[in-house]
Amino acid sequence: MAQHTQVRPTTASGAHQAGHHHWLFPGAIIAVIAGIQALFVFCLGYPMLHASPHAVPIGVAGPPAQTAPLEAALARQPGAFDVRTYPDAAAARAAIRDRDVYGALTVTPGGPALLVASAASPQVAALLTSEAKAFGRGHPVPVTDVVPGPAKDPEETGALTTLLPLILISVALGAILAHAERRAWRRLGWCMAASATAGLAVSGVARGLGTFTGHYWADAGVLALLVFGLSACAASLISVRPLRPLGGLFALTMLFLGIPSAGALVPAELLAQPWLAIGPDLPPAGALSALRGITFFGDAATGRPLAVLACWAGLGALLAILVPAAAARAHR
């Protein structure tokens, strides 16, 4: 009777395979993290290096016969400017304060003059100032800042330092709650508590630094909506295993698209694609636009950004209710 012998791997071979698998997983994790870091740096840098005007709203004020040359000169850059006419400088100033336009060229007896609002965007104010030089015919064009930015932060770098930690930590908070709390209603409650606490704390810090010096409670509400929308959406998607890829996609979307298109680095009208198409409807852009309107423009043009924040907060609450219910039905 033939005997069958089982060939077992040698100890050295088994150790080699174990060592190979031991290094494979951490190596893959390192590669993925490095790829995400590199892509994040690219997404932050590319919009700044490729910023160009796309239908930037700008006014032209004065008698039609005198403003026609200004309009014609601005039209030489197809698609760069959305030119709107006003009868006089007073009307142009009102449009700037209402956030209808970023600035305006006005006709004066001494030649053209420029009105800007650096509070709306220091980058656009600088762009319009540069463009206005061509109208001076060798003479400097007077520039008036109708709505200046914060005195302590004229370049508005504080906008980025306010939003960036909130966005990153809010998404991380959602991921932590998804693993730490199994009950959906408690996760939602923790998201609400964290949002309120973060809104109150960060609003106070931003006010103290001179970044956003508007109404404290209104700023806190905007920041709380931002935190809640991000954390609730992330927590709900990550809490259920089949939806975790969507949770990861949500987090990466906020990092790669949301942060660069918030308007702190490059305003929406100067963004490259796809940031231009997607960015304004994401929570970071909504939060910054609402904060600027509350702080500098007497609540002007805050309806749409607040609606964006409310929609994302509502989506987070809806997911917190529907996702666990769907998961429970799937396990029956």
Side-chain angles (χ1 to χ4, degrees), residues 55-61 71 81-86 99-101 103-104:
V56 176
I58 180 173
V60 174
E71 295 181 54
F81 298 103
D82 176 12
V83 182
R84 305 175 186 182
T85 58
Y86 300 96
R99 301 177 77 188
D100 292 331
V101 293

Side-chain angles (χ1 to χ4, degrees), residues 102-122:
Y102 279 99
L105 283 164
T106 64
V107 176
T108 69
L114 178 65
L115 306 175
V116 298
S118 60
S121 171

Side-chain angles (χ1 to χ4, degrees), residues 222-329:
V222 169
L223 294 171
L225 277 175
L226 172 67
V227 175
F228 179 79
L230 294 176
S231 60
C233 287
S236 300
L237 293 173
I238 297 173
S239 63
V240 179
R241 186 180 295 274
L243 296 181
R244 284 176 186 172
L246 287 179
L249 180 62
F250 171 81
L252 294 179
T253 299
M254 293 304 132
L255 292 181
F256 298 157
L257 296 177
I259 293 174
S261 62
L265 297 172
V266 181
E269 290 81 2
L270 270 64
L271 285 171
Q273 295 291 5
W275 294 272
L276 176 62
I278 301 174
D281 294 321
L282 296 180
L288 181 53
S289 181
L291 289 170
R292 280 177 169 159
I294 292 168
T295 303
F296 305 113
F297 294 91
D299 301 335
T302 56
R304 186 181 187 280
L306 287 176
V308 168
L309 289 172
C311 286
W312 281 98
L315 176 62
L318 189 63
L319 288 174
I321 297 170
L322 296 181
V323 167
R329 286 196 299 269

